[in-house]
Amino acid sequence: MILGIGTDLCNIDRIAGVLERHGDRFRNRVYTERELARAARRAHEAGTLAKRWAAKEACSKALGTGLAMGIAWRDMAVDNLASGQPTMRLSGWAAERLAAMTPPGHRAHVHVTLTDDHPWAQAFVVIEALPEGA
């Protein structure tokens, strides 16, 4: 069963401007070390970080909170499988919220997809509850 759906569209040039103005202060407030390391390896850091920004916004919407109620940017992190497929790792309040919205006898799975076409980055997040053992 679907527990939540979220989407976000982010302007890559806006993120580039914020990076230029605020640099590491912004990076460290919003992104995890793994996210920053991945972006640093890319030719277009701002595009990589914009997709992750969009994913965090989309995830907060799928959790039903937006960026309110104690959720922090770094509580939601985009990681990648060896295949390159993006995944979401939740910690802190985001993980607590996910646990609270997951019905008994189920486990939650967070699906995420990312795309970009300059100047836009977009993310969709779907939170699914699967029966235990499935």
Side-chain angles (χ1 to χ4, degrees):
M1 87 182 68
I2 303 298
L3 299 179
I5 300 171
T7 186
D8 192 65
L9 183 65
C10 179
N11 186 288
I12 295 168
D13 294 333
R14 184 176 135 243
I15 295 298
V18 172
L19 288 168
E20 192 173 301
R21 284 189 306 282
H22 301 288
D24 286 343
R25 184 172 153 230
F26 170 72
R27 283 179 185 91
N28 295 326
R29 184 176 141 249
V30 175
Y31 303 101
T32 65
E33 292 300 319
R34 287 179 67 111
E35 290 173 314
L36 292 172
R38 184 174 189 86
R41 293 190 307 266
R42 301 289 184 170
H44 302 287
E45 178 193 30
T48 299
L49 294 179
K51 286 188 282 189
R52 278 143 180 77
W53 173 281
K56 292 167 187 270
E57 285 274 8
C59 186
S60 71
K61 293 170 186 175
L63 289 168
T65 64
L67 285 160
M69 299 173 58
I71 201 166
W73 288 104
R74 291 172 54 114
D75 286 349
M76 301 166 290
V78 178
D79 207 350
N80 293 83
L81 301 176
S83 65
Q85 178 184 351
T87 61
M88 290 293 295
R89 285 184 299 107
L90 303 183
S91 61
W93 194 89
E96 291 173 20
R97 171 70 181 149
L98 181 62
M101 64 191 285
T102 303
H106 290 75
R107 62 181 171 79
H109 182 76
V110 181
H111 302 272
V112 61
T113 187
L114 309 171
T115 192
D116 66 294
D117 186 8
H118 195 270
W120 301 107
Q122 186 174 33
F124 287 95
V125 171
V126 175
I127 302 175
E128 178 183 24
L130 300 168
E132 288 290 342

